[in-house]
Amino acid sequence: MGRIRVLVVDDHRIFAEALAATLAAEPDVEVGAAGSAIAAERALERAAAEGRAFDVVLIDADLAPVGPPPRRPRSLAEPEPSPGGRRLPSVAAGRRPPGLPPSTPHRVPLPSGGGHGPATLAGDGLALLARACRTHPALRAIVLATEDDPSRAVRALQSGACGWVAKDSSLPRLMAVIRGVLRDETHLPPALLTGVVRELTSARRDRTESERLVETLTPREEEVLRCMVAGLGRQAVAERLYLSPHTVRTHMQNVLGKLGVHSTLAAVAVARRAGVSPSEPPLPAANL
């Protein structure tokens, strides 16, 4: 399989440093660490630009949101792999391993005990995961979590995650997941599977019901709905479909009635669950 380049993203400094040092002791692993979403994205971008892209990113599900930078921001230097890919220096003597960004006073701290308070619910972990997977398609993302949460696990999987690992897992377990996702496997704790399947089944049931409602629309009403999904107002829909605003208003009322909703936003939500794509503007005549 060759050497594995792993980026650890966690704003719990001691945990991140300990995990990075433990992983770096593996003979075929190189490790970098980042203490925020900003530092992680910079590290991923720089590594990719230099032709040494990370293979796996381990992201704290409760990565704290970062507020506005201070007046004189300190540099969030991107993390470097540990020397020789072996081990990060110890922090016992108060030294910080190279590549780990300094603590920033504007970061919102996590509650003690890893709880899910307001700050963690609005955390950057899953948002970072989605952005990283979109920007770096070959990257394998694994979520590090303090507790099993089926709804968050489903969101993580839908955002591109390949694995979900408890923070108190053993090193052999974590390495098995890392090696597994590089073989295009998806890894979830057995205790989490039932909840994830239940969440996915519920989502599929909602989609099926939404699809059934959309199927009751006439072709013209579905065209109007697609325009609504595209964010067009009544006048813009009329211009795109060459209809009068009055006719569009009637179609919109019919769409709301058939979908069983009372607002355009609610209709758009049903449409999205059903997989309705937004209307595309017509091509200019010269390009036809």
Side-chain angles (χ1 to χ4, degrees):
M1 182 179 290
R3 299 189 68 76
I4 304 171
R5 301 199 73 240
V6 179
L7 178 64
V8 177
V9 186
D10 196 302
D11 55 8
H12 281 120
R13 189 70 53 194
I14 294 177
F15 176 84
E17 292 172 353
L19 178 57
T22 301
L23 290 172
E26 294 290 307
D28 60 342
V29 177
E30 295 180 7
V31 186
S36 70
I38 295 173
E41 290 181 288
R42 289 177 178 172
L44 291 170
E45 290 169 5
R46 190 179 74 172
E50 295 177 353
R52 52 188 186 89
F54 286 99
D55 302 300
V56 177
V57 60
L58 306 178
I59 301 179
D60 177 18
D62 299 324
L63 191 66
V66 178
R71 285 182 59 169
R72 302 186 61 184
R74 301 170 69 181
S75 174
L76 293 179
E78 293 84 352
E80 293 283 356
S82 56
R86 297 292 299 174
R87 182 183 297 276
L88 291 176
S90 171
V91 296
R95 292 175 297 163
R96 188 177 307 281
L100 284 173
S103 299
T104 50
H106 57 286
R107 182 177 293 117
V108 180
L110 288 176
S112 60
H116 294 279
T120 59
L121 288 174
D124 283 347
L126 299 188
L128 168 63
L129 187 152
R131 293 194 301 272
C133 291
R134 280 197 308 269
T135 307
H136 308 278
L139 185 68
R140 300 293 184 265
I142 298 171
V143 175
L144 300 175
T146 56
E147 62 182 14
D148 291 341
D149 184 329
S151 63
R152 298 182 83 197
V154 167
R155 294 205 306 275
L157 292 171
Q158 292 171 336
S159 297
C162 300
W164 180 284
V165 180
K167 282 191 172 183
D168 59 359
S169 294
S170 64
L171 177 62
R173 167 62 183 163
L174 178 57
M175 286 306 306
V177 174
I178 290 174
R179 299 185 195 282
V181 299
L182 289 174
R183 295 191 297 266
D184 292 326
E185 299 171 358
T186 299
H187 283 254
L188 293 173
L192 191 59
L193 280 176
T194 299
V196 167
V197 170
R198 186 182 300 116
E199 290 280 338
L200 291 173
T201 301
S202 176
R204 179 58 200 169
R205 187 165 52 246
D206 291 342
R207 179 180 175 89
T208 300
E209 174 63 15
S210 298
E211 289 172 342
R212 185 190 66 78
L213 292 172
V214 169
E215 287 173 357
T216 65
L217 303 179
T218 66
R220 176 61 84 185
E221 289 166 351
E222 188 168 349
E223 281 185 300
V224 170
L225 178 59
R226 293 182 61 226
C227 289
M228 294 163 67
V229 173
L232 301 182
R234 187 189 310 168
Q235 183 62 41
V237 174
E239 293 173 358
R240 178 165 298 186
L241 301 182
Y242 303 102
L243 300 172
S244 72
H246 176 75
T247 300
V248 170
R249 180 174 181 273
T250 299
H251 284 314
M252 285 183 165
Q253 288 176 337
N254 291 340
V255 167
L256 297 184
K258 290 183 178 181
L259 298 184
V261 296
H262 301 286
S263 70
T264 298
L265 287 178
V268 169
V270 172
R272 286 176 174 165
R273 285 198 297 270
V276 175
S277 58
S279 172
E280 297 291 339
L283 292 173
N287 295 336
L288 292 176

